Amino acid sequence: MVRRREMVAGMATLSLLSLGGGFATTALAQEATLDGDTIPTAQGDITVHPVDHASLLLGYGDQTIYIDPVGGAERYAGLPAATAILITHGHGDHFDVPTLEAIAGDAPIITNQDVFDKLPEALRAQATAMANGDDGDINGIALSAVPAHNTTEDRMRYHPVGVGNGYLLTLGDKVVYVAGDTEPTPEMLAMTGIAVAFLPMNLPYTMTPEQAAEAINTFKPAIVYPYHYGESDLSVLETAIGSDTELRLRNWYPNGG
């Protein structure tokens, strides 16, 4: 049972995924590197690598953190192997057992309780369930699970209160917020000191761009990445966000919408 501020997940080793999803075995294979935006911290850069829709990788030092990996092993071919995996909730665009079986290796997995209960036995053995409000660390990285849910009455059925997680990760002197599927919650709006935020926006499941802009202007992350945006009109954000926040629009749909 996870207790607040006492959850610790084990270390895993950084390995190279081959094009077939297994480990590289030839002497000519070079260690994979992670490309993407870099964000400096006092202890080294964070690398932000969008994958698709709600899936992304964060690189930091010798760590490669996979968030909501889905889409099969081929989608992660040529990328550094996971040293940790975070899963926000159990919807199919965030959680896929075959993908996890192909890419997880022995990396520790952090999930919500619903996903933990659905994992096959082998993956469950390396997983830990966190509830909203739980704090801990994974591979020495401080981690908190925060509420992720709908707030509009006719959307509550999509993401009820108390089921899904967003995550706060402390990387060096920067706090990164991966919101998961959510509308603006009281906890989100009360956040301070967020260096990087990943916020979802697509109807009817998460936020509108207008809701996202209002939330951004309230908790003022230094950098915001819209993700999980589907067909949303992100141009709204370009004029609605205040000067406290840098808007970074990136391609989260390299494989088509």
Side-chain angles (χ1 to χ4, degrees):
M1 180 177 182
V2 177
R3 291 182 293 172
R4 296 176 195 271
R5 304 190 184 279
E6 294 184 7
M7 188 278 295
V8 179
M11 281 293 291
T13 339
L14 186 63
S15 306
L16 172 64
L17 284 175
S18 74
L19 292 178
F23 296 111
T25 55
T26 69
L28 297 177
Q30 301 295 313
E31 182 177 331
T33 58
L34 199 61
D35 61 353
D37 292 348
T38 57
I39 299 163
T41 83
Q43 286 76 43
D45 289 346
I46 301 166
T47 302
V48 175
H49 182 92
V51 176
D52 195 284
H53 186 56
S55 303
L56 67 142
L57 274 60
L58 295 175
Y60 178 68
D62 62 355
Q63 299 295 308
T64 305
I65 303 164
Y66 281 46
I67 299 168
D68 287 346
V70 301
E74 295 80 6
R75 187 164 286 178
Y76 301 90
L79 295 173
T83 59
I85 298 171
L86 307 181
I87 302 171
T88 60
H89 66 291
H91 289 172
D93 54 340
H94 298 259
F95 168 55
D96 179 60
V97 169
T99 301
L100 290 172
E101 290 177 326
I103 60 95
D106 61 356
I109 301 169
I110 303 299
T111 77
N112 68 337
Q113 188 64 50
D114 176 61
V115 167
F116 182 86
D117 293 341
K118 293 174 180 175
L119 289 171
E121 184 176 352
L123 289 174
R124 194 180 304 155
Q126 65 199 69
T128 302
M130 292 182 75
N132 295 170
D134 281 344
D135 299 322
D137 77 74
I138 186 166
N139 293 351
I141 294 169
L143 178 70
S144 298
V146 297
H149 58 80
N150 288 104
T151 58
T152 303
E153 185 175 355
D154 64 356
R155 301 183 212 164
M156 295 298 294
R157 65 187 183 278
Y158 299 119
H159 303 99
V161 174
V163 177
N165 288 335
Y167 294 105
L168 294 172
L169 301 96
T170 301
L171 304 175
D173 56 351
K174 299 290 194 294
V175 178
V176 177
Y177 172 40
V178 181
D181 276 8
T182 189
E183 291 181 74
T185 63
E187 292 83 2
M188 177 195 295
L189 298 177
M191 289 179 182
T192 59
I194 301 298
V196 187
F198 297 88
L199 296 184
M201 48 204 79
N202 67 324
L203 288 178
Y205 307 106
T206 60
M207 296 185 246
T208 65
E210 291 80 5
Q211 281 181 296
E214 184 175 357
I216 291 163
N217 289 336
T218 300
F219 77 95
K220 296 179 172 60
I223 299 168
V224 66
Y225 288 88
Y227 81 140
H228 193 290
Y229 52 75
E231 300 296 321
S232 298
D233 180 9
L234 300 182
S235 67
V236 171
L237 300 172
E238 296 179 297
T239 56
I241 292 177
S243 59
D244 294 301
T245 300
E246 177 189 348
L247 174 65
R248 293 191 179 181
L249 300 178
R250 300 295 184 262
N251 181 16
W252 291 84
Y253 296 91
N255 302 298

